[in-house]
Amino acid sequence: MFTLSEVSEHNTHDSCWVILYGKVYDVTGILNSHPGGAQAILRWGGQEATEEFDMIHPPETMKEIEQSYLGTVEPQERSITDSTTEEITEAPLSTLLNLDEIEAAATKVISKKAWGYYFSAADDKISKYLNTQAYRSIMFRPRVFVDCRTCELETNLLGHKVGLPIFVSPTAMARLGHPAGERGIAEGCRPFGGLQIIANNSSLSPEDIVENAPPTQVFGWQLYVQLNRQLSENMLARVNQLDRIKFVVLTLDAPVSGKREDDERINIQANTAASVSTQLFVGTDPSLTRADTLQWLSQHTTKPIVLKGIQTHEDAILASQYAPFVKGIVLSNHGGRSLDTAPPAVHTLLELRRHCPYVFDKVEVWVDGGIRRGTDAVKALCLGAKAVGIGRPALWGLAAGGVEGVERTLQSWFFSKLWSSVAFLTAG
Ligand code: HEM
Ligand SMILES: Cc1cc2nc3c(=O)[nH]c(=O)nc-3n(C[C@H](O)[C@H](O)[C@H](O)COP(=O)(O)O)c2cc1C
């Protein structure tokens, strides 16, 4: 059994101990291979690190450091602040009428660190805000004398039936915002038959996330190819075993992290090693080339591929040349988090319609970024998108009220009268 003072002496590159869940681990040996970088651990060297660790790593990560276990800390010495036992004040969800209100409610209850990571976008956030504004600058041509009593929400995505053409885009670190994490998002999607794409950097394992899902619930799994290819190959092998995961999404618009200053600022104030975003990107390979990567991927997955982060018609054409292995593309600028002033997806959608409309027949075209109202979604669908994704709104919903918050987020599309708009316009 160790005292805090004994543990605190081990805070260097040569000897680094941390306290996790009341136990002491010597993690010196993993510093150089840590996917989040050595500094991310060294910052907590000699200290209690449970809260920081727990928010970011799936529980199974503990298996990786089992052999580094040294002993326990004297109970009276422990200074644990276990984030998972904290009281989370839930917002009165039934009073929240739209996604902006859900975001505002979430902002009141989540940690600064989570807010900084979720809210942030690259540089001046021009793409982030334009993503929404671009939809608002497109006007409808509503037709009248259209029967609006019924409207089918169900659709097929990559051959799988889903309850609505709105999917949850992959977002890392859901447990930063709420302990239910990505599993809570899966539960929230369930009543609506909503499709969820699980992020490579999820805070729970894909096995955990899909565990309670009925066979009809549809998931995708998003890949950031790692510098250490073996890590990606191991993950793909696990994903191959999961029947509920129907496709793999390869993200291409973020070879490196954008400069996300809200995230940076909060971590500078808290004196942590770097922003959450920077640490998450440490192991990602920024050097991918099209032919080699797709060839490699075809050897390691049994599932169809969706390419995420297409931002020009030239790249859409090239992607479509890999059909049917590539079954879909997501027009996206990563929620404005990667390259500021990159185009909103709806601009790229218009570009495709003008320069290469045949691409819509070769691959499914999905979009995400800035979609906050039913009318935004309808515009994308009318312009040829098969589905629209939401990133931050699912995280804000989760943070505001756990599973019910995610449900409220998806419900809000219904009370935004999305579907009567669809009825108006499809006749137009
Ligand atoms: C404080 C003590 C920490 C310990 C002992 C620790 C340990 C580990 C271990 C054992 C892994 C799995 C490695 C593998 O699969 O090869 C891992 C993964 C990872 N760590 Fe840490 N870590 C710590 C803090 C952090 C922090 C502060 C961050 C900041 C963002 C971070 C980011 C990551 C990332 C991105 C991964 C890879 C993805 C994942 O497994 O979720 N770690 N860590
Ligand atoms: C907090 C956060 C984390 C994200 N993490 C990932 C990720 O790990 N992989 C990925 O492909 N996209 C990621 N994205 C981008 C989303 O998939 C999506 O493209 C974007 O959020 C859509 O914009 P919206 O947030 O305005 O809906 C992330 C976005 C946010 C906000």
Side-chain angles (χ1 to χ4, degrees):
M1 199 168 283
F2 298 96
T3 62
L4 281 183
S5 146
E6 281 171 309
V7 176
S8 70
E9 285 166 22
H10 300 268
N11 61 358
T12 66
H13 214 281
D14 296 327
S15 178
C16 181
W17 294 7
V18 289
I19 304 171
L20 296 171
Y21 310 100
K23 296 176 178 170
V24 182
Y25 295 87
D26 178 354
V27 289
T28 318
I30 64 164
L31 288 177
N32 290 337
S33 60
H34 181 231
Q39 279 307 322
I41 300 184
L42 269 173
R43 162 71 184 82
W44 302 100
Q47 297 176 57
E48 170 58 58
T50 308
E51 187 170 348
E52 197 74 13
F53 180 88
D54 188 74
M55 284 190 294
I56 286 161
H57 304 80
E60 63 184 11
T61 307
M62 287 306 287
K63 286 195 209 123
E64 310 270 345
I65 54 171
E66 258 167 12
Q67 68 284 13
S68 315
Y69 172 67
L70 296 176
T72 51
V73 207
E74 290 180 12
Q76 68 274 22
E77 290 255 349
R78 287 170 60 181
S79 62
I80 288 182
T81 49
D82 186 346
S83 63
T84 56
T85 59
E86 260 172 38
E87 186 77 7
I88 294 203
T89 319
E90 298 204 344
L93 294 171
S94 58
T95 64
L96 306 177
L97 293 181
N98 57 53
L99 298 185
D100 289 342
E101 290 181 11
I102 294 176
E103 176 175 337
T107 303
K108 287 189 190 139
V109 295
I110 57 169
S111 67
K112 279 190 186 166
K113 191 181 189 78
W115 177 84
Y117 178 57
Y118 292 175
F119 183 86
S120 60
D123 296 1
D124 298 306
K125 305 193 198 80
I126 289 168
S127 292
K128 176 182 172 179
Y129 292 119
L130 196 57
N131 280 349
T132 302
Q133 286 314 316
Y135 286 104
R136 310 289 158 89
S137 65
I138 298 172
M139 296 297 128
F140 282 126
R141 292 183 64 249
R143 301 297 304 270
V144 296
F145 284 127
V146 179
D147 182 348
C148 287
R149 280 171 303 178
T150 55
C151 183
E152 280 302 320
L153 308 188
E154 281 180 9
T155 187
N156 266 285
L157 294 178
L158 306 180
H160 303 283
K161 201 167 102 179
V162 292
L164 68 176
I166 294 170
F167 64 93
V168 173
S169 294
T171 51
M173 300 298 147
R175 276 199 311 144
L176 262 183
H178 191 281
E182 294 80 3
R183 202 177 152 111
I185 296 181
E187 249 177 83
C189 286
R190 205 160 296 152
F192 304 93
L195 183 156
Q196 176 186 2
I197 302 175
I198 299 168
N200 194 150
N201 290 332
S202 287
S203 54
L204 289 171
S205 69
E207 290 87 353
D208 271 354
I209 297 166
V210 305
E211 193 184 19
N212 290 333
T216 47
Q217 190 167 355
V218 183
F219 294 87
W221 185 77
Q222 176 263 327
L223 169 71
Y224 279 131
V225 179
Q226 300 297 296
L227 284 161
N228 177 351
R229 285 288 192 283
Q230 192 60 51
L231 291 177
S232 294
E233 289 167 14
N234 294 346
M235 281 306 297
L236 287 165
R238 282 166 56 185
V239 167
N240 283 338
Q241 301 300 313
L242 297 171
D243 289 342
R244 284 168 186 71
I245 298 186
K246 306 294 187 199
F247 57 97
V248 169
V249 178
L250 174 63
T251 296
L252 297 167
D253 57 4
V256 293
S257 171
K259 187 168 189 299
R260 303 170 187 168
E261 293 177 4
D262 296 301
D263 189 5
E264 283 184 24
R265 193 170 297 108
I266 277 158
N267 284 282
I268 288 168
Q269 284 160 4
N271 195 25
T272 44
S275 66
V276 176
S277 306
T278 309
Q279 293 178 71
L280 284 177
F281 273 91
V282 169
T284 309
D285 188 346
S287 72
L288 304 186
T289 55
R290 184 176 303 105
D292 288 350
T293 309
L294 293 178
Q295 160 75 7
W296 165 82
L297 195 49
S298 70
Q299 288 162 359
H300 295 282
T301 184
T302 53
K303 322 246 174 195
I305 300 301
V306 171
L307 299 180
K308 176 168 182 279
I310 301 294
Q311 296 163 83
T312 59
H313 75 274
E314 290 91 338
D315 278 335
I317 293 171
L318 288 166
S320 73
Q321 288 166 358
Y322 288 84
F325 174 55
V326 171
K327 271 202 166 175
I329 56 177
V330 186
L331 309 183
S332 174
N333 61 21
H334 215 95
R337 294 163 72 80
S338 202
L339 176 68
D340 201 14
T341 69
V346 67
H347 286 188
T348 315
L349 192 58
L350 290 165
E351 207 182 291
L352 261 63
R353 285 181 68 87
R354 185 189 172 116
H355 294 286
C356 52
Y358 60 88
V359 163
F360 293 89
D361 299 324
K362 295 183 83 176
V363 289
E364 288 192 11
V365 178
W366 303 357
V367 300
D368 79 8
I371 291 160
R372 298 293 181 268
R373 288 281 184 186
T375 48
D376 304 336
V378 171
K379 287 169 191 171
L381 297 173
C382 288
L383 290 170
K386 192 89 196 290
V388 302
I390 49 168
R392 293 182 188 83
L395 292 170
W396 296 132
L398 184 75
V403 174
E404 286 168 30
V406 178
E407 288 176 4
R408 189 74 182 162
T409 297
L410 289 172
Q411 261 166 13
S412 76
W413 299 98
F414 294 89
F415 42 74
S416 67
K417 305 272 189 283
L418 166 65
W419 310 113
S420 58
S421 303
V422 174
F424 269 120
L425 291 153
T426 44

